Coordinates of all heavy atoms in Angstrom, one line a residue:
F5 N 98.7 49.0 142.8 CA 99.3 50.3 143.2 C 99.2 51.3 142.0 O 98.8 52.4 142.1 CB 100.8 50.2 143.6 CG 101.5 51.4 143.9 CD1 101.1 52.3 144.9 CD2 102.6 51.8 143.2 CE1 101.7 53.5 145.2 CE2 103.3 53.0 143.5 CZ 102.9 53.8 144.5
D6 N 99.6 50.8 140.8 CA 99.5 51.6 139.6 C 98.0 52.1 139.4 O 97.8 53.3 139.1 CB 100.0 50.8 138.4 CG 99.9 51.6 137.1 OD1 100.7 52.6 137.0 OD2 99.1 51.2 136.2
T7 N 97.1 51.2 139.5 CA 95.7 51.5 139.3 C 95.2 52.6 140.3 O 94.5 53.5 139.9 CB 94.8 50.3 139.3 OG1 95.2 49.4 138.3 CG2 93.4 50.6 139.2
A8 N 95.6 52.4 141.6 CA 95.2 53.3 142.6 C 95.8 54.7 142.4 O 95.1 55.7 142.6 CB 95.6 52.7 144.0
L9 N 97.1 54.7 142.0 CA 97.7 56.0 141.7 C 96.9 56.8 140.6 O 96.6 58.0 140.7 CB 99.1 55.9 141.3 CG 100.2 55.8 142.4 CD1 101.5 55.5 141.8 CD2 100.2 57.1 143.2
R10 N 96.6 56.0 139.5 CA 95.9 56.6 138.4 C 94.5 57.2 138.8 O 94.1 58.2 138.5 CB 95.7 55.6 137.2 CG 97.0 55.4 136.5 CD 96.8 54.3 135.5 NE 98.1 53.9 134.9 CZ 98.5 54.4 133.7 NH1 97.7 55.1 132.9 NH2 99.6 54.0 133.2
R11 N 93.8 56.4 139.6 CA 92.5 56.8 140.2 C 92.7 58.0 141.1 O 91.8 58.8 141.2 CB 91.9 55.7 141.0 CG 91.3 54.6 140.1 CD 90.6 53.5 140.8 NE 90.1 52.5 139.9 CZ 89.9 51.3 140.3 NH1 90.1 50.9 141.5 NH2 89.5 50.4 139.4
G12 N 93.9 58.2 141.7 CA 94.1 59.3 142.5 C 94.6 60.5 141.7 O 95.0 61.6 142.3
G13 N 94.6 60.4 140.4 CA 95.0 61.6 139.6 C 96.5 61.7 139.3 O 96.9 62.7 138.8
V14 N 97.3 60.6 139.6 CA 98.7 60.7 139.4 C 99.0 59.9 138.1 O 98.6 58.8 137.9 CB 99.5 60.0 140.5 CG1 101.0 60.0 140.3 CG2 99.1 60.8 141.8
E15 N 99.8 60.6 137.2 CA 100.2 59.9 135.9 C 101.3 58.9 136.3 O 102.1 59.1 137.1 CB 100.7 60.9 134.9 CG 99.6 61.8 134.4 CD 100.2 62.7 133.3 OE1 101.1 62.3 132.6 OE2 99.7 63.8 133.1
T16 N 101.2 57.7 135.6 CA 102.1 56.6 135.9 C 102.6 56.0 134.6 O 101.9 56.1 133.6 CB 101.5 55.5 136.8 OG1 100.5 54.9 136.1 CG2 101.0 56.1 138.1
D17 N 103.7 55.3 134.7 CA 104.2 54.4 133.7 C 104.8 53.2 134.4 O 105.4 53.3 135.5 CB 105.4 55.0 132.9 CG 104.9 56.1 131.9 OD1 103.9 55.8 131.2 OD2 105.5 57.1 131.9
I18 N 104.5 52.0 133.8 CA 105.2 50.8 134.4 C 106.5 50.6 133.6 O 106.4 50.6 132.3 CB 104.2 49.6 134.2 CG1 103.0 49.8 135.1 CG2 105.0 48.3 134.6 CD1 102.0 48.7 135.0
I19 N 107.6 50.5 134.3 CA 108.9 50.4 133.7 C 109.7 49.3 134.3 O 109.3 48.8 135.3 CB 109.7 51.7 133.9 CG1 109.9 52.0 135.4 CG2 109.0 52.9 133.3 CD1 110.9 53.0 135.8
P20 N 110.7 48.8 133.6 CA 111.6 47.8 134.2 C 112.3 48.4 135.4 O 112.7 49.6 135.3 CB 112.6 47.5 133.1 CG 112.0 48.0 131.8 CD 111.1 49.1 132.2
T21 N 112.4 47.7 136.4 CA 113.1 48.2 137.6 C 114.5 48.5 137.2 O 115.2 47.7 136.7 CB 113.1 47.2 138.8 OG1 111.7 46.9 139.1 CG2 113.8 47.7 140.0
P22 N 115.0 49.7 137.5 CA 116.4 50.1 137.2 C 117.4 49.1 137.8 O 117.2 48.7 138.9 CB 116.5 51.5 137.7 CG 115.1 52.0 137.8 CD 114.3 50.9 138.1
K23 N 118.4 48.8 137.0 CA 119.4 47.9 137.5 C 120.1 48.4 138.8 O 120.6 47.6 139.6 CB 120.5 47.7 136.4 CG 119.9 46.9 135.3 CD 120.9 46.7 134.2 CE 120.3 45.9 133.0 NZ 121.2 45.7 131.9
A24 N 120.2 49.7 139.0 CA 120.8 50.2 140.2 C 120.0 49.8 141.4 O 120.5 49.9 142.5 CB 120.9 51.7 140.1
I25 N 118.7 49.5 141.3 CA 117.9 49.1 142.4 C 117.8 47.5 142.5 O 118.0 46.9 143.5 CB 116.5 49.7 142.3 CG1 116.6 51.2 142.4 CG2 115.6 49.2 143.5 CD1 115.3 51.9 142.1
A26 N 117.5 46.9 141.3 CA 117.4 45.5 141.2 C 116.7 44.7 142.3 O 117.3 43.8 142.9 CB 118.8 44.9 140.9
L27 N 115.5 45.1 142.6 CA 114.7 44.5 143.7 C 113.4 44.1 143.1 O 112.9 44.6 142.1 CB 114.5 45.5 144.8 CG 115.7 46.0 145.6 CD1 115.2 47.1 146.5 CD2 116.3 44.9 146.4
G28 N 112.7 43.2 143.8 CA 111.4 42.8 143.4 C 111.2 42.0 142.2 O 112.0 41.3 141.7
C29 N 110.0 42.3 141.5 CA 109.6 41.5 140.4 C 110.2 41.9 139.1 O 110.0 41.3 138.0 CB 108.1 41.5 140.3 SG 107.4 43.0 139.7
G30 N 111.0 43.0 139.0 CA 111.6 43.4 137.8 C 110.8 44.5 137.1 O 111.2 45.1 136.1
L31 N 109.6 44.9 137.7 CA 108.9 46.0 137.2 C 108.6 47.0 138.3 O 108.5 46.6 139.4 CB 107.5 45.5 136.6 CG 107.6 44.6 135.4 CD1 106.2 44.2 135.0 CD2 108.2 45.4 134.2
S32 N 108.5 48.3 137.9 CA 108.3 49.3 138.9 C 107.3 50.3 138.3 O 107.0 50.3 137.1 CB 109.6 50.1 139.1 OG 110.5 49.3 139.8
V33 N 106.7 51.1 139.2 CA 105.8 52.1 138.8 C 106.5 53.5 138.9 O 107.0 53.8 139.9 CB 104.5 52.2 139.7 CG1 103.6 53.3 139.2 CG2 103.8 50.8 139.6
E34 N 106.6 54.2 137.8 CA 107.2 55.5 137.7 C 106.1 56.5 137.8 O 105.1 56.4 137.1 CB 108.0 55.6 136.4 CG 108.7 57.0 136.3 CD 109.5 57.0 135.0 OE1 108.9 56.7 133.9 OE2 110.6 57.4 135.0
F35 N 106.3 57.6 138.6 CA 105.4 58.7 138.7 C 106.1 59.9 139.1 O 107.2 59.9 139.6 CB 104.3 58.3 139.8 CG 104.8 58.1 141.2 CD1 105.0 59.1 142.1 CD2 105.1 56.8 141.5 CE1 105.4 58.8 143.3 CE2 105.6 56.5 142.8 CZ 105.7 57.6 143.7
P36 N 105.5 61.1 138.8 CA 106.2 62.4 139.1 C 106.3 62.6 140.6 O 105.5 62.1 141.4 CB 105.3 63.4 138.4 CG 104.0 62.8 138.2 CD 104.2 61.3 138.1
A37 N 107.3 63.4 141.0 CA 107.6 63.7 142.4 C 106.3 64.3 143.1 O 106.1 64.1 144.3 CB 108.8 64.6 142.5
E38 N 105.5 65.0 142.3 CA 104.4 65.6 142.9 C 103.3 64.6 143.4 O 102.5 65.0 144.2 CB 103.7 66.6 141.9 CG 104.5 67.7 141.4 CD 105.6 67.3 140.3 OE1 105.4 66.3 139.6 OE2 106.6 68.0 140.3
G39 N 103.5 63.4 143.0 CA 102.5 62.3 143.4 C 103.0 61.6 144.6 O 102.3 60.6 145.1
I40 N 104.1 62.0 145.3 CA 104.6 61.2 146.4 C 103.7 61.1 147.6 O 103.6 60.0 148.2 CB 106.0 61.7 146.8 CG1 106.7 60.7 147.8 CG2 105.9 63.1 147.5 CD1 107.1 59.4 147.1
N41 N 103.0 62.1 147.9 CA 102.1 62.0 149.1 C 100.9 61.1 148.8 O 100.5 60.3 149.7 CB 101.6 63.4 149.5 CG 102.6 64.3 150.1 OD1 103.6 63.7 150.7 ND2 102.5 65.6 150.0
T42 N 100.4 61.2 147.6 CA 99.3 60.2 147.2 C 99.9 58.8 147.2 O 99.2 57.9 147.7 CB 98.8 60.6 145.8 OG1 98.3 61.9 145.8 CG2 97.7 59.6 145.4
A43 N 101.1 58.6 146.7 CA 101.7 57.3 146.6 C 101.9 56.7 148.0 O 101.6 55.5 148.3 CB 103.0 57.4 145.9
K44 N 102.4 57.5 149.0 CA 102.6 57.1 150.4 C 101.3 56.6 151.0 O 101.2 55.6 151.7 CB 103.2 58.2 151.2 CG 104.7 58.4 150.9 CD 105.2 59.6 151.7 CE 106.7 59.8 151.5 NZ 107.2 61.0 152.3
A45 N 100.2 57.4 150.8 CA 98.9 57.1 151.4 C 98.4 55.8 150.8 O 97.9 54.9 151.5 CB 97.9 58.2 151.1
I46 N 98.6 55.6 149.5 CA 98.1 54.3 148.8 C 98.9 53.1 149.3 O 98.4 52.1 149.7 CB 98.2 54.5 147.3 CG1 97.2 55.5 146.8 CG2 98.0 53.1 146.6 CD1 97.3 55.9 145.4
I47 N 100.2 53.3 149.5 CA 101.0 52.1 150.0 C 100.6 51.8 151.4 O 100.5 50.6 151.7 CB 102.6 52.5 149.9 CG1 103.0 52.3 148.4 CG2 103.4 51.6 150.8 CD1 103.0 50.9 147.9
K48 N 100.4 52.8 152.2 CA 100.0 52.5 153.6 C 98.6 51.8 153.6 O 98.4 50.8 154.4 CB 99.9 53.8 154.4 CG 101.2 54.3 154.8 CD 101.2 55.6 155.6 CE 102.6 56.1 155.9 NZ 102.5 57.3 156.6
A49 N 97.7 52.1 152.7 CA 96.4 51.5 152.6 C 96.5 50.1 152.1 O 95.8 49.2 152.6 CB 95.5 52.3 151.8

Side-chain angles (χ1 to χ4, degrees):
F5 176 62
D6 179 67
T7 300
L9 275 174
R10 288 174 185 259
R11 287 183 182 155
V14 178
E15 290 186 31
T16 65
D17 284 314
I18 295 177
I19 62 167
T21 299
K23 291 180 182 179
I25 299 172
L27 297 169
C29 72
L31 294 175
S32 294
V33 178
E34 179 181 50
F35 58 90
E38 297 80 25
I40 191 67
N41 290 332
T42 301
K44 286 179 180 179
I46 291 168
I47 282 296
K48 286 180 182 179

